[in-house]
Amino acid sequence: MKLRKLELKDAPFMEEGMKDEKVNCFFRFEADKITKQSVIGFITDNQNIGNSYHFAIADDNDMYLGTVSLKNVDLVSKNGEYAISLRSCAQGIGAGRFATNEILKFAFENLKLERVYLNVLTENKHAIHFYKKFGFIYEGEFYHHVSIKGELKSLKWFRMMKCE
């Protein structure tokens, strides 16, 4: 597996993953509004510019498996927000562990960050189990913090420090 720049050839697989109910049930955006054009726009407009870095997770045949990101990077405060989304076919094969390892290496070694944080819907038990097992530290919960389809949902916050 490898991380690489997102490419236009990834668009159909990204769109497929975002429309997959097993994947999008924990998204904060409306999956039915995703189009091929919006995915292409994301790929072309978000190529590691500004304070966000998005990478394709690809297998040994260069097949797109998902996206891993560092968003809201603050080089002064030395922190950034982790995010990952895997296609169904990439779950349970080690892609998440590989990508998380690589993006943390990028954060701590290349960008010289001290802290990477993430938030996850409280009901996303599978992701929470993964983050804890990986070594992210639970910091707290924001109750009724985001509205999804008209319902207020809570977020759990986790962190990983360079020294950890």
Side-chain angles (χ1 to χ4, degrees):
M1 280 186 238
K2 65 183 175 183
L3 294 190
R4 62 162 170 77
K5 186 176 175 178
L6 287 166
E7 299 174 5
L8 289 177
K9 70 179 182 177
D10 301 327
F13 304 107
M14 289 178 76
E15 182 182 10
E16 167 204 294
M18 287 190 240
K19 290 188 174 186
D20 182 337
E21 289 182 19
K22 290 182 230 161
V23 175
N24 71 30
C25 61
F26 297 112
F27 286 177
R28 290 185 218 159
F29 57 83
E30 295 179 49
D32 58 338
K33 295 204 167 128
I34 298 297
T35 65
K36 186 174 182 180
Q37 280 311 114
S38 65
V39 173
I40 289 170
F42 177 82
I43 292 170
T44 57
D45 296 343
N46 292 289
Q47 287 300 315
N48 304 335
I49 56 171
N51 65 348
S52 293
Y53 301 84
H54 305 284
F55 298 97
I57 307 159
D59 68 12
D60 293 336
N61 296 316
D62 205 36
M63 174 60 70
Y64 172 86
L65 301 175
T67 303
V68 65
S69 305
L70 270 177
K71 307 181 299 181
N72 305 312
V73 172
D74 182 339
L75 295 175
V76 175
S77 297
K78 298 186 179 295
N79 65 57
E81 181 181 1
Y82 160 97
I84 191 167
S85 177
L86 295 175
R87 293 173 60 206
S88 289
C89 66
Q91 295 179 12
I93 65 168
R97 178 165 285 286
F98 169 81
T100 301
N101 228 7
E102 292 299 306
I103 202 77
L104 289 174
K105 226 185 290 183
F106 175 74
F108 296 136
E109 295 175 12
N110 294 54
L111 298 178
K112 307 292 186 213
L113 301 183
E114 292 293 324
R115 181 180 201 280
V116 172
Y117 61 91
L118 67 92
N119 62 71
V120 59
L121 290 171
T122 300
E123 62 206 50
N124 191 346
K125 305 295 184 206
H126 181 75
I128 291 168
H129 176 75
F130 171 80
Y131 299 138
K132 286 180 176 178
K133 188 175 174 185
F134 196 89
F136 281 92
I137 306 297
Y138 175 70
E139 291 196 314
E141 187 163 354
F142 286 14
Y143 293 96
H144 294 165
H145 189 70
V146 295
S147 177
I148 300 174
K149 297 179 183 171
E151 186 179 345
L152 288 173
K153 304 277 186 169
S154 300
L155 296 175
K156 288 188 181 279
W157 290 81
F158 291 83
R159 70 141 199 282
M160 175 76 69
M161 303 291 290
K162 184 177 184 177
C163 61
E164 294 171 333

